[in-house]
Amino acid sequence: MATSNDIKNGTVIKEAGQLWSVLEFQHVKPGKGGAFVRTKQKNVVSGKIIDKTYNAGTKIETATVDRRDFQYLYQDGADFVFMDMSDYDQITVPAVVVGDAHKFMLENQQVQIGLHEGEPLYLELPASVVLEVTYTEPGLQGDRSTGGTKPATVETGAEIQVPLFLEAGTKVKIDTRTGDYLGRVND
């Protein structure tokens, strides 16, 4: 057991059966009354962000979330199989935990998975990935980089918006958090 005085950025607090990661904290000592700790916390599983205040010295239960590097191997039905890069053990992660990240995952790609007591909680992709456009409508004469956008399908099956001049077979850089096109990649 820890106290509210031990709260730091990145601390994971177990409260009401859920895990909350501290994004920001501030120790406050007002002129009158007792000191307290004001925090901004993010639910480790759902991503919901809340503000929570603790009185100084309040007992809190902390949890250990182990972030490790994994390699994506393959999809097995609705689940995804990953290999731990440190000991080569394989784990199966449910589609609910992977979420929309599967749209930008290629086989053998490195990801980080947060584990609590051996259970996968969340998956983090690199900030951007390079994927090949497999299908898009052909560009027309006069389409320039400052024009509009058109839908394109990348090799993972995800559909993104790309500039009008791009053609199938082009490698593009994509922001994994938003799914936005970041630019072309020349080999």
Side-chain angles (χ1 to χ4, degrees):
M1 275 297 223
T3 67
S4 59
N5 300 335
D6 300 324
I7 293 176
K8 303 278 182 270
N9 288 345
T11 302
V12 178
I13 299 171
K14 190 174 191 177
E15 197 168 285
Q18 295 187 340
L19 298 176
W20 298 87
S21 177
V22 176
L23 301 175
E24 298 174 13
F25 74 99
Q26 180 180 19
H27 290 278
V28 180
K29 176 74 173 100
K32 61 169 132 171
F36 58 91
V37 180
R38 186 178 295 135
T39 65
K40 183 179 281 192
Q41 301 175 2
K42 178 180 180 182
N43 187 302
V44 172
V45 177
S46 70
K48 178 180 177 182
I49 296 177
I50 63 167
D51 291 324
K52 182 132 176 111
T53 303
Y54 298 94
N55 290 329
T58 303
K59 297 235 182 277
I60 57 171
E61 186 177 353
T62 58
T64 304
V65 174
D66 187 19
R67 290 172 51 137
R68 292 196 293 205
D69 290 328
F70 284 81
Q71 183 178 29
Y72 171 55
L73 297 178
Y74 59 90
Q75 186 171 357
D76 182 21
D79 298 333
F80 296 83
V81 179
F82 295 87
M83 179 177 64
D84 190 334
M85 297 305 292
S86 60
D87 60 11
Y88 305 109
D89 282 346
Q90 292 183 9
I91 64 167
T92 302
V93 180
V96 175
V97 174
V98 174
D100 287 341
H102 77 278
K103 294 179 182 178
F104 305 111
M105 286 190 325
L106 285 174
E107 290 181 359
N108 301 323
Q109 182 176 355
Q110 299 279 336
V111 299
Q112 277 197 334
I113 297 178
L115 301 166
H116 173 64
E117 297 175 358
E119 285 295 313
L121 299 173
Y122 61 88
L123 179 136
E124 285 183 8
L125 290 173
S128 64
V129 292
V130 175
L131 298 172
E132 185 175 327
V133 175
T134 55
Y135 176 77
T136 188
E137 294 294 325
L140 301 173
Q141 182 66 30
D143 287 341
R144 297 286 179 254
S145 62
T146 57
T149 60
K150 62 182 178 180
T153 305
V154 293
E155 58 190 304
T156 58
E159 192 169 287
I160 63 168
Q161 293 293 319
V162 298
L164 294 171
F165 64 86
L166 279 184
E167 298 174 359
T170 306
K171 289 192 183 249
V172 294
K173 190 173 195 177
I174 302 167
D175 185 328
T176 57
R177 297 167 298 229
T178 62
D180 291 342
Y181 165 84
L182 297 175
R184 271 191 298 194
V185 176
N186 298 327
D187 289 343

mmCIF file of all heavy atoms in Angstrom, residues 145-174:
data_model
loop_
_atom_site.group_PDB
_atom_site.id
_atom_site.type_symbol
_atom_site.label_atom_id
_atom_site.label_comp_id
_atom_site.label_asym_id
_atom_site.label_seq_id
_atom_site.Cartn_x
_atom_site.Cartn_y
_atom_site.Cartn_z
ATOM 1 N N SER A 145 -0.658 18.169 -55.433
ATOM 2 C CA SER A 145 -0.562 17.863 -54.000
ATOM 3 C C SER A 145 -1.441 18.770 -53.142
ATOM 4 O O SER A 145 -1.776 18.419 -52.030
ATOM 5 C CB SER A 145 0.885 17.963 -53.539
ATOM 6 O OG SER A 145 1.350 19.274 -53.729
ATOM 7 N N THR A 146 -1.813 19.948 -53.634
ATOM 8 C CA THR A 146 -2.614 20.854 -52.817
ATOM 9 C C THR A 146 -4.103 20.682 -53.049
ATOM 10 O O THR A 146 -4.897 21.409 -52.501
ATOM 11 C CB THR A 146 -2.245 22.322 -53.109
ATOM 12 O OG1 THR A 146 -2.420 22.561 -54.504
ATOM 13 C CG2 THR A 146 -0.828 22.616 -52.685
ATOM 14 N N GLY A 147 -4.480 19.714 -53.853
ATOM 15 C CA GLY A 147 -5.895 19.484 -54.145
ATOM 16 C C GLY A 147 -6.587 18.767 -53.006
ATOM 17 O O GLY A 147 -6.192 18.849 -51.850
ATOM 18 N N GLY A 148 -7.620 18.016 -53.353
ATOM 19 C CA GLY A 148 -8.398 17.296 -52.354
ATOM 20 C C GLY A 148 -7.790 15.953 -52.011
ATOM 21 O O GLY A 148 -6.609 15.709 -52.239
ATOM 22 N N THR A 149 -8.630 15.093 -51.466
ATOM 23 C CA THR A 149 -8.187 13.749 -51.110
ATOM 24 C C THR A 149 -9.149 12.730 -51.698
ATOM 25 O O THR A 149 -10.250 13.069 -52.124
ATOM 26 C CB THR A 149 -8.127 13.560 -49.580
ATOM 27 O OG1 THR A 149 -9.429 13.776 -49.040
ATOM 28 C CG2 THR A 149 -7.130 14.513 -48.945
ATOM 29 N N LYS A 150 -8.700 11.480 -51.691
ATOM 30 C CA LYS A 150 -9.520 10.371 -52.166
ATOM 31 C C LYS A 150 -9.257 9.176 -51.258
ATOM 32 O O LYS A 150 -8.219 9.098 -50.604
ATOM 33 C CB LYS A 150 -9.178 10.041 -53.616
ATOM 34 C CG LYS A 150 -7.744 9.582 -53.819
ATOM 35 C CD LYS A 150 -7.438 9.322 -55.276
ATOM 36 C CE LYS A 150 -5.969 8.915 -55.457
ATOM 37 N NZ LYS A 150 -5.648 8.650 -56.842
ATOM 38 N N PRO A 151 -10.196 8.224 -51.193
ATOM 39 C CA PRO A 151 -9.962 7.044 -50.361
ATOM 40 C C PRO A 151 -8.947 6.104 -51.008
ATOM 41 O O PRO A 151 -8.880 5.998 -52.234
ATOM 42 C CB PRO A 151 -11.343 6.392 -50.269
ATOM 43 C CG PRO A 151 -12.106 6.925 -51.433
ATOM 44 C CD PRO A 151 -11.521 8.247 -51.782
ATOM 45 N N ALA A 152 -8.175 5.443 -50.166
ATOM 46 C CA ALA A 152 -7.209 4.455 -50.641
ATOM 47 C C ALA A 152 -7.173 3.311 -49.637
ATOM 48 O O ALA A 152 -7.322 3.522 -48.438
ATOM 49 C CB ALA A 152 -5.826 5.070 -50.774
ATOM 50 N N THR A 153 -6.975 2.098 -50.130
ATOM 51 C CA THR A 153 -6.858 0.926 -49.271
ATOM 52 C C THR A 153 -5.385 0.547 -49.180
ATOM 53 O O THR A 153 -4.706 0.462 -50.204
ATOM 54 C CB THR A 153 -7.667 -0.256 -49.849
ATOM 55 O OG1 THR A 153 -9.010 0.180 -50.044
ATOM 56 C CG2 THR A 153 -7.651 -1.442 -48.906
ATOM 57 N N VAL A 154 -4.892 0.333 -47.952
ATOM 58 C CA VAL A 154 -3.500 -0.058 -47.757
ATOM 59 C C VAL A 154 -3.428 -1.571 -47.559
ATOM 60 O O VAL A 154 -4.441 -2.246 -47.441
ATOM 61 C CB VAL A 154 -2.857 0.699 -46.577
ATOM 62 C CG1 VAL A 154 -2.737 2.182 -46.883
ATOM 63 C CG2 VAL A 154 -3.610 0.481 -45.294
ATOM 64 N N GLU A 155 -2.202 -2.105 -47.510
ATOM 65 C CA GLU A 155 -1.994 -3.550 -47.500
ATOM 66 C C GLU A 155 -2.595 -4.275 -46.303
ATOM 67 O O GLU A 155 -2.798 -5.481 -46.348
ATOM 68 C CB GLU A 155 -0.505 -3.879 -47.633
ATOM 69 C CG GLU A 155 0.374 -3.283 -46.557
ATOM 70 C CD GLU A 155 1.847 -3.435 -46.866
ATOM 71 O OE1 GLU A 155 2.301 -4.582 -47.074
ATOM 72 O OE2 GLU A 155 2.549 -2.412 -46.904
ATOM 73 N N THR A 156 -2.908 -3.572 -45.216
ATOM 74 C CA THR A 156 -3.543 -4.221 -44.065
ATOM 75 C C THR A 156 -5.059 -4.265 -44.208
ATOM 76 O O THR A 156 -5.742 -4.852 -43.385
ATOM 77 C CB THR A 156 -3.204 -3.476 -42.761
ATOM 78 O OG1 THR A 156 -3.646 -2.121 -42.891
ATOM 79 C CG2 THR A 156 -1.719 -3.523 -42.469
ATOM 80 N N GLY A 157 -5.591 -3.583 -45.240
ATOM 81 C CA GLY A 157 -7.030 -3.551 -45.457
ATOM 82 C C GLY A 157 -7.680 -2.283 -44.934
ATOM 83 O O GLY A 157 -8.871 -2.059 -45.151
ATOM 84 N N ALA A 158 -6.930 -1.437 -44.250
ATOM 85 C CA ALA A 158 -7.477 -0.179 -43.723
ATOM 86 C C ALA A 158 -7.697 0.804 -44.869
ATOM 87 O O ALA A 158 -6.946 0.823 -45.840
ATOM 88 C CB ALA A 158 -6.528 0.426 -42.704
ATOM 89 N N GLU A 159 -8.732 1.630 -44.736
ATOM 90 C CA GLU A 159 -8.993 2.668 -45.733
ATOM 91 C C GLU A 159 -8.628 4.018 -45.137
ATOM 92 O O GLU A 159 -9.071 4.361 -44.049
ATOM 93 C CB GLU A 159 -10.458 2.642 -46.164
ATOM 94 C CG GLU A 159 -10.717 3.487 -47.383
ATOM 95 C CD GLU A 159 -12.096 3.267 -47.973
ATOM 96 O OE1 GLU A 159 -12.316 2.211 -48.586
ATOM 97 O OE2 GLU A 159 -12.938 4.156 -47.803
ATOM 98 N N ILE A 160 -7.808 4.761 -45.865
ATOM 99 C CA ILE A 160 -7.366 6.081 -45.426
ATOM 100 C C ILE A 160 -7.612 7.090 -46.536
ATOM 101 O O ILE A 160 -7.887 6.704 -47.677
ATOM 102 C CB ILE A 160 -5.872 6.088 -45.035
ATOM 103 C CG1 ILE A 160 -4.991 5.747 -46.247
ATOM 104 C CG2 ILE A 160 -5.603 5.141 -43.878
ATOM 105 C CD1 ILE A 160 -3.520 6.003 -46.029
ATOM 106 N N GLN A 161 -7.492 8.358 -46.214
ATOM 107 C CA GLN A 161 -7.610 9.424 -47.205
ATOM 108 C C GLN A 161 -6.203 9.840 -47.639
ATOM 109 O O GLN A 161 -5.342 10.099 -46.798
ATOM 110 C CB GLN A 161 -8.350 10.628 -46.615
ATOM 111 C CG GLN A 161 -9.805 10.378 -46.308
ATOM 112 C CD GLN A 161 -10.636 10.152 -47.561
ATOM 113 O OE1 GLN A 161 -10.464 10.826 -48.572
ATOM 114 N NE2 GLN A 161 -11.517 9.174 -47.508
ATOM 115 N N VAL A 162 -5.990 9.895 -48.975
ATOM 116 C CA VAL A 162 -4.688 10.275 -49.528
ATOM 117 C C VAL A 162 -4.880 11.381 -50.557
ATOM 118 O O VAL A 162 -5.987 11.558 -51.075
ATOM 119 C CB VAL A 162 -3.968 9.058 -50.162
ATOM 120 C CG1 VAL A 162 -3.683 7.992 -49.123
ATOM 121 C CG2 VAL A 162 -4.759 8.501 -51.315
ATOM 122 N N PRO A 163 -3.817 12.112 -50.893
ATOM 123 C CA PRO A 163 -3.927 13.135 -51.933
ATOM 124 C C PRO A 163 -4.307 12.517 -53.284
ATOM 125 O O PRO A 163 -4.042 11.335 -53.538
ATOM 126 C CB PRO A 163 -2.521 13.739 -51.996
ATOM 127 C CG PRO A 163 -1.910 13.423 -50.678
ATOM 128 C CD PRO A 163 -2.505 12.115 -50.258
ATOM 129 N N LEU A 164 -4.891 13.332 -54.141
ATOM 130 C CA LEU A 164 -5.395 12.854 -55.433
ATOM 131 C C LEU A 164 -4.314 12.271 -56.337
ATOM 132 O O LEU A 164 -4.591 11.389 -57.150
ATOM 133 C CB LEU A 164 -6.097 14.011 -56.170
ATOM 134 C CG LEU A 164 -7.375 14.521 -55.509
ATOM 135 C CD1 LEU A 164 -7.842 15.799 -56.195
ATOM 136 C CD2 LEU A 164 -8.459 13.472 -55.544
ATOM 137 N N PHE A 165 -3.066 12.721 -56.231
ATOM 138 C CA PHE A 165 -2.025 12.279 -57.159
ATOM 139 C C PHE A 165 -1.455 10.899 -56.845
ATOM 140 O O PHE A 165 -0.750 10.324 -57.652
ATOM 141 C CB PHE A 165 -0.878 13.310 -57.212
ATOM 142 C CG PHE A 165 -0.146 13.468 -55.915
ATOM 143 C CD1 PHE A 165 0.912 12.634 -55.579
ATOM 144 C CD2 PHE A 165 -0.512 14.462 -55.019
ATOM 145 C CE1 PHE A 165 1.586 12.781 -54.386
ATOM 146 C CE2 PHE A 165 0.158 14.623 -53.814
ATOM 147 C CZ PHE A 165 1.218 13.781 -53.502
ATOM 148 N N LEU A 166 -1.735 10.332 -55.665
ATOM 149 C CA LEU A 166 -1.162 9.026 -55.304
ATOM 150 C C LEU A 166 -1.780 7.901 -56.113
ATOM 151 O O LEU A 166 -2.964 7.922 -56.429
ATOM 152 C CB LEU A 166 -1.360 8.742 -53.813
ATOM 153 C CG LEU A 166 -0.373 9.402 -52.869
ATOM 154 C CD1 LEU A 166 -0.628 8.970 -51.440
ATOM 155 C CD2 LEU A 166 1.053 9.090 -53.237
ATOM 156 N N GLU A 167 -0.973 6.883 -56.396
ATOM 157 C CA GLU A 167 -1.430 5.723 -57.159
ATOM 158 C C GLU A 167 -1.171 4.452 -56.366
ATOM 159 O O GLU A 167 -0.397 4.447 -55.411
ATOM 160 C CB GLU A 167 -0.685 5.667 -58.499
ATOM 161 C CG GLU A 167 -0.942 6.881 -59.371
ATOM 162 C CD GLU A 167 -0.087 6.872 -60.628
ATOM 163 O OE1 GLU A 167 0.713 5.934 -60.812
ATOM 164 O OE2 GLU A 167 -0.221 7.807 -61.420
ATOM 165 N N ALA A 168 -1.801 3.361 -56.789
ATOM 166 C CA ALA A 168 -1.583 2.060 -56.148
ATOM 167 C C ALA A 168 -0.108 1.683 -56.277
ATOM 168 O O ALA A 168 0.535 1.980 -57.286
ATOM 169 C CB ALA A 168 -2.468 1.005 -56.790
ATOM 170 N N GLY A 169 0.436 1.032 -55.253
ATOM 171 C CA GLY A 169 1.840 0.629 -55.251
ATOM 172 C C GLY A 169 2.743 1.632 -54.548
ATOM 173 O O GLY A 169 3.901 1.343 -54.290
ATOM 174 N N THR A 170 2.230 2.803 -54.210
ATOM 175 C CA THR A 170 3.007 3.829 -53.512
ATOM 176 C C THR A 170 3.061 3.498 -52.022
ATOM 177 O O THR A 170 2.065 3.110 -51.438
ATOM 178 C CB THR A 170 2.352 5.218 -53.698
ATOM 179 O OG1 THR A 170 2.171 5.476 -55.074
ATOM 180 C CG2 THR A 170 3.196 6.306 -53.076
ATOM 181 N N LYS A 171 4.232 3.662 -51.421
ATOM 182 C CA LYS A 171 4.355 3.465 -49.975
ATOM 183 C C LYS A 171 4.083 4.798 -49.295
ATOM 184 O O LYS A 171 4.607 5.830 -49.710
ATOM 185 C CB LYS A 171 5.737 2.942 -49.609
ATOM 186 C CG LYS A 171 5.947 1.507 -50.034
ATOM 187 C CD LYS A 171 7.190 0.933 -49.401
ATOM 188 C CE LYS A 171 7.398 -0.475 -49.898
ATOM 189 N NZ LYS A 171 7.195 -1.463 -48.901
ATOM 190 N N VAL A 172 3.246 4.742 -48.238
ATOM 191 C CA VAL A 172 2.866 5.960 -47.529
ATOM 192 C C VAL A 172 3.122 5.798 -46.038
ATOM 193 O O VAL A 172 3.099 4.692 -45.504
ATOM 194 C CB VAL A 172 1.378 6.330 -47.766
ATOM 195 C CG1 VAL A 172 1.145 6.699 -49.219
ATOM 196 C CG2 VAL A 172 0.455 5.224 -47.338
ATOM 197 N N LYS A 173 3.361 6.921 -45.368
ATOM 198 C CA LYS A 173 3.544 6.948 -43.921
ATOM 199 C C LYS A 173 2.217 7.356 -43.307
ATOM 200 O O LYS A 173 1.612 8.339 -43.729
ATOM 201 C CB LYS A 173 4.638 7.950 -43.559
ATOM 202 C CG LYS A 173 5.085 7.899 -42.135
ATOM 203 C CD LYS A 173 6.278 8.817 -41.936
ATOM 204 C CE LYS A 173 6.963 8.530 -40.632
ATOM 205 N NZ LYS A 173 8.150 9.373 -40.467
ATOM 206 N N ILE A 174 1.763 6.593 -42.291
ATOM 207 C CA ILE A 174 0.448 6.807 -41.685
ATOM 208 C C ILE A 174 0.604 6.986 -40.179
ATOM 209 O O ILE A 174 1.330 6.241 -39.526
ATOM 210 C CB ILE A 174 -0.473 5.604 -41.972
ATOM 211 C CG1 ILE A 174 -0.612 5.382 -43.468
ATOM 212 C CG2 ILE A 174 -1.838 5.797 -41.336
ATOM 213 C CD1 ILE A 174 -1.240 4.054 -43.833
#
